[in-house]
Amino acid sequence: MTAQAHSPAAVGRQGPSVLLVDDQQIVAETVRRMLAAHDDVTFHYCLDPAEAIEAAAFCGATVILLDLVMPIVDGLTVLRFLRAHPATRNVPVVVLSAKDEPGTKVSRIERDAAEEQLHASHEALRRANQDLQLRNRFIQETFGRYLDDDVVDELLHDPRGLEMGGEKRVVTILMTDLRGFTSLSERLEADQVLRLLNIYLGAMADVITRHRGMINEFLGDSILAVFGVPLADDDDAARAVACALDLQCAMPGVNETLRIAGLPEVEMGIGLNTGMVVVGNIGSARRAKYGVVGSHVNLAARIEGTTVGGQVLVSDATLQECGSSQLVVGA
């Protein structure tokens, strides 16, 4: 039985107990985060629909969230078994569907006999249900501003490709930095500094997403981008190198825009490195981000720190990972 918070301590807590029956772990992570703000709600997760009755009885579920679309055993079949079993026949069930058709709605099936507890459960579920209907938006808001639209679409169609718990993976890290920006920012007015950064970062972001890189961080005038997450391809390193060259090719256009705006021109250095890192959600239940951690990230930063304006420096590991790949610049 796959479950979250299935423990005697969790079962003995006061307040609503919510059980989610869904075959996709990313949905469980989303619901868990949405309910984390409600200290009186205990969340449980059942991956296998065939174990839904056992899971509901074990955790003392006061409300069950049930996905309609699941492999092998569909949601309606599970619902019939829940209604037929003495342990779950009186537990309210909210049927969920990710379909976009107007006719596909979240439906409340029954009311609990205990009015007070039911009211609390339904109120918690009402808030959770609003976010469940936007389960695709969770991915879009997390990655949509940092990834190419095609990558986001791929995640939406197969969210299991995104390991929310974290994993080790070989990626290529690309880091950029403007030369002399600190002293330059001290001479400019605040609105000029932000306008310059927005012009520069906007152009760089377009190039990175075009090469299917993930913008992991904007650190002032620096950019940390990763190739190989959340989805990996054989040409990650080659695309990262091609992206770096395209970034430098985009700088004349950036400087032309800056000149027209009455702002100073800038130069950028880029460093790349490839290696094994830890990728996944970093932070807390209330605030987290998808990021990368490891010594190879630090090495990429050191390589970038040795560059001069207009230069791209690549580690041996990245060159070896490229192999015989053909770099496509300006694609």
Side-chain angles (χ1 to χ4, degrees), residues 205-276:
D206 288 343
V207 176
I208 293 171
T209 53
R210 189 167 68 242
H211 285 275
R212 303 183 79 239
M214 185 187 77
I215 300 173
N216 186 248
E217 201 80 68
F218 288 133
L219 303 169
D221 61 310
S222 302
I223 303 173
L224 169 60
V226 187
F227 293 76
V229 293
L231 301 173
D233 289 311
D234 294 336
D235 64 342
D236 289 329
R239 283 188 293 105
V241 175
C243 176
L245 298 176
D246 268 350
L247 288 172
Q248 292 291 15
C249 290
M251 286 304 293
V254 170
N255 282 322
E256 176 63 22
T257 303
L258 292 176
R259 282 195 298 271
I260 294 174
L263 296 169
E265 297 183 21
V266 292
E267 289 185 317
M268 173 183 62
I270 302 176
L272 296 101
N273 182 44
T274 300
M276 183 76 73

